[in-house]
Amino acid sequence: MANDNTGPTMNGGKGMEQLRNHSYEQLTIENVQDGRVLVLYTGGTIGMVRNEDGVLVPKANAFVENLRKYPHMHDKKYADERFGSTGLLVLPMTAIDKKRVVYNVIEYSPLCDSSNMMMEDWIRIANDIKQSYEHYDGFVVLHGTDTLSYTASALSFMLESLGKIVILTGSQVPIFDTRSDGLENFLSSLVIAANYNIPEVCIYFGTNLMRGNRTIKVSATAFEAFDSPNFPPLAKANTKIEVDYRITYRSCTLEKFHVHSKLNSNVGLLRIFPSITRDLVKAFLQPPIEGVVLQSYGAGNIPANRKDIIREFCEASKRGVILVNITQCTSGCVSRTYEPEKQLEEAGVIAGFDMTPEAALTKLAYVLSKKEWDTETKRQIMQSNIRGELTGGRSPYLQDLDFVEAVARSLGISSSSELLELGTILFPAMLNAAVIAGDMMKLQSLKGYGAYVSQTNADGRTALHIACCEGDLSIVRCLLRMGANVHIKDRFGRTPLIDAVEYDHHDVIKLLLQSGAHLDGSAHLIGQKMCAAASIGNTKRLSSYHYANANLNQKEFSGRTPLHFAALHNKVQTIKFLLDHGVKTDCKDKLGQTPLDLAEAISCKEAVLLLSRLEPAVNSTTPATAMKTIR
């Protein structure tokens, strides 16, 4: 996050690290699961307040202060009892909720009107998400509505190999006004971000969760201000939140989440209109312009008799300018149905299919910033579906559930809701059976029938959870390439990585980390598990945690580290393993005892010998030298 006065400031609490280390002591008693959400409040109408003249204005630090006063936005009693002075915000819990929604708000300074948003602001938001990515289940960006679709589209390309949900929302009326759409938009965004594994950049507005790069603003006044004209909503939030997982876009690359923090600003939108002049087109296409989104009539048409304009497009294309043709219409796409579109193609103009202007422009800025791609590759990428931004080939509406339909007919099921429910029962069971059998062909076939590879069973477990328990590296790799989500937690709060760790499948752990997985939850609870392994000399389990990037110096609730427990139980091989991996020997527990103190107290001679040889080196040298001595 930014370190200067223009950066975001934390208003919701002291940060997730404190939450991880100090606020989960009651978790094992209450059996409460948390959905953790980071809110980036960038500005916009949603957080504005009225001044003495009744005019809406942004006011620094007012947003969170007001949130704390609203009982439907913050359960103060629960938050004070559980989290104390961390300042975390917590939504009240209802009888049907499975998780407590715990959220932090980072307020940008200064707050930015969305009409003032620039590419630098998109980069700042992306980097803030990157910095906090491993500590939260989802992210909500509060943003003004005017350029909301531009920001959502840009982030969808910049956040590469995204495995968690990012929701942008705002409002037409401030959240603290009497009649406001902001309350519903913000509350629903928090609940969805905390509970649903939709690894996309989305926009939530007016009961619909939409793919961000498919969305446009359609009204300056209506509460239903945004629409996704060429793609159905990912979810609808009415009395129940219904998610269509079949159409969610999933990264199928075996790489960690990362941010592409460069964009090319030499791009523009050129809208064709009657009597547009050659001079205007020529001037628009001059350097430093490198890419242009051309908004043509209907299905991709321009005046067929304007050879002068077509020549300018041809000349620009020869100079390396990338020209992308999209329709001016709200819905539909460009096609090769008419002669003018074919003339554009011959002039080097490529089809943008059904991309929105916002998606086409931001994708062009993203693609042109990729220095490792040549011009032809960039042209191909602009015509390819890389984040669900355009429809190419297969329709987004899956019509091939003939297997489920056949079972439904045999059971006398006919309604669409019952058909969907049947799929959620059959597919997880069949996916899991294929995993256990090690049958990759069956997994691919089930996906072809419309199975959502990360569909959960009754215990919230996915096929990837099962595969990580089984330890079949080829099946795990197959599922990841099919888009399996590494961040899904089952009803016990376990991710696939935890399953791989607790079954000691080291190659699987490495592959999951390569694909973006990370240890999640209370650091103290992880420390407790490592200490339990150390106490019985389970060095293999400690190795598993080490491969998963756990801190082998992590303390459990009494302040003891794995080395304390290994010393206390005289587990010599475990002590050697921990010392070989550079753990600290001078950590003290809550009673002020070091591992050597414990070993001496119970006369563990071998442990005392190992630790005492290193103790003088640790105490008589600088920290850097001490760590070198231990290694």
Side-chain angles (χ1 to χ4, degrees), residues 295-498:
Q295 291 184 272
S296 57
Y297 304 136
N301 300 319
I302 65 167
N305 59 352
R306 297 299 304 275
K307 304 298 182 183
D308 55 339
I309 295 177
I310 294 176
R311 278 196 298 271
E312 293 302 329
F313 292 147
C314 185
E315 289 299 320
S317 181
K318 288 178 180 178
R319 294 196 304 269
V321 178
I322 296 180
L323 304 171
V324 183
N325 187 21
I326 65 170
T327 178
Q328 295 178 10
C329 301
T330 301
S331 61
C333 65
V334 299
S335 68
R336 295 178 176 87
T337 305
Y338 300 100
E339 181 62 26
E341 209 287 328
K342 292 181 180 179
Q343 292 180 12
L344 287 175
E345 184 180 358
E346 291 172 358
V349 179
I350 60 178
F353 302 102
D354 58 352
M355 279 193 287
T356 65
E358 295 90 339
L361 185 73
T362 55
K363 182 178 180 181
L364 197 51
Y366 165 80
V367 169
L368 286 171
S369 70
K370 291 281 192 175
K371 301 300 183 183
E372 64 271 27
W373 294 343
D374 60 24
T375 300
E376 185 55 36
T377 300
K378 291 175 182 178
R379 287 169 57 86
Q380 291 175 4
I381 295 295
M382 284 304 302
Q383 299 175 85
S384 303
N385 181 22
I386 62 171
R387 299 288 192 277
E389 73 281 2
L390 60 83
T391 303
R394 186 182 178 89
S395 168
Y397 298 94
L398 296 177
Q399 304 295 336
D400 54 357
L401 302 183
D402 48 339
F403 168 75
V404 176
E405 289 171 353
V407 176
R409 285 194 296 272
S410 70
L411 297 175
I413 293 173
S414 58
S415 74
S416 58
S417 61
E418 289 178 319
L419 189 66
L420 285 173
E421 185 177 358
L422 181 61
T424 64
I425 296 170
L426 289 177
F427 282 134
M430 297 185 73
L431 286 167
N432 292 346
V435 166
I436 292 172
D439 192 337
M440 284 186 281
M441 291 185 63
K442 188 173 182 180
L443 287 174
Q444 295 287 355
S445 296
L446 287 169
K447 184 180 180 182
Y449 276 118
Y452 171 49
V453 72
S454 291
Q455 178 67 52
T456 58
N457 63 15
D459 280 331
R461 293 175 66 73
T462 67
L464 187 59
H465 282 87
I466 306 300
C468 290
C469 291
E470 293 293 308
D472 189 329
L473 187 64
S474 60
I475 290 293
V476 173
R477 183 178 287 108
C478 175
L479 288 169
L480 292 172
R481 291 196 181 278
M482 290 168 63
N485 193 314
V486 298
H487 301 297
I488 292 179
K489 300 175 188 174
D490 64 16
R491 72 190 303 173
F492 312 107
R494 296 166 64 100
T495 62
L497 178 59
I498 288 295

Side-chain angles (χ1 to χ4, degrees), residues 45-47 63 67 70 73 171 173-177 180 182-183 186:
T45 300
I46 191 167
F63 184 65
L67 286 179
Y70 281 68
M73 295 301 302
S171 68
V173 179
I175 193 172
F176 303 115
D177 271 18
S180 174
L183 181 62
F186 189 29

Side-chain angles (χ1 to χ4, degrees), residues 255-301:
E255 62 181 13
K256 293 181 179 181
F257 164 76
H258 57 284
V259 170
H260 182 77
S261 57
K262 294 181 180 179
L263 293 171
N264 189 320
S265 60
N266 296 321
V267 295
L269 285 164
L270 178 61
R271 186 180 179 93
I272 298 297
F273 57 88
S275 299
I276 187 172
T277 66
R278 170 183 171 274
D279 290 340
L280 187 153
V281 173
K282 182 176 181 179
F284 195 90
L285 297 175
Q286 292 305 304
I289 204 74
E290 296 180 48
V292 172
V293 177
L294 179 66
Q295 291 184 272
S296 57
Y297 304 136
N301 300 319

Side-chain angles (χ1 to χ4, degrees), residues 588-606:
K588 294 182 179 181
D589 62 17
K590 290 185 177 180
L591 297 176
Q593 295 178 309
T594 65
L596 178 59
D597 294 332
L598 294 178
E600 290 176 338
I602 57 172
S603 301
C604 294
K605 295 181 180 179
E606 291 180 274

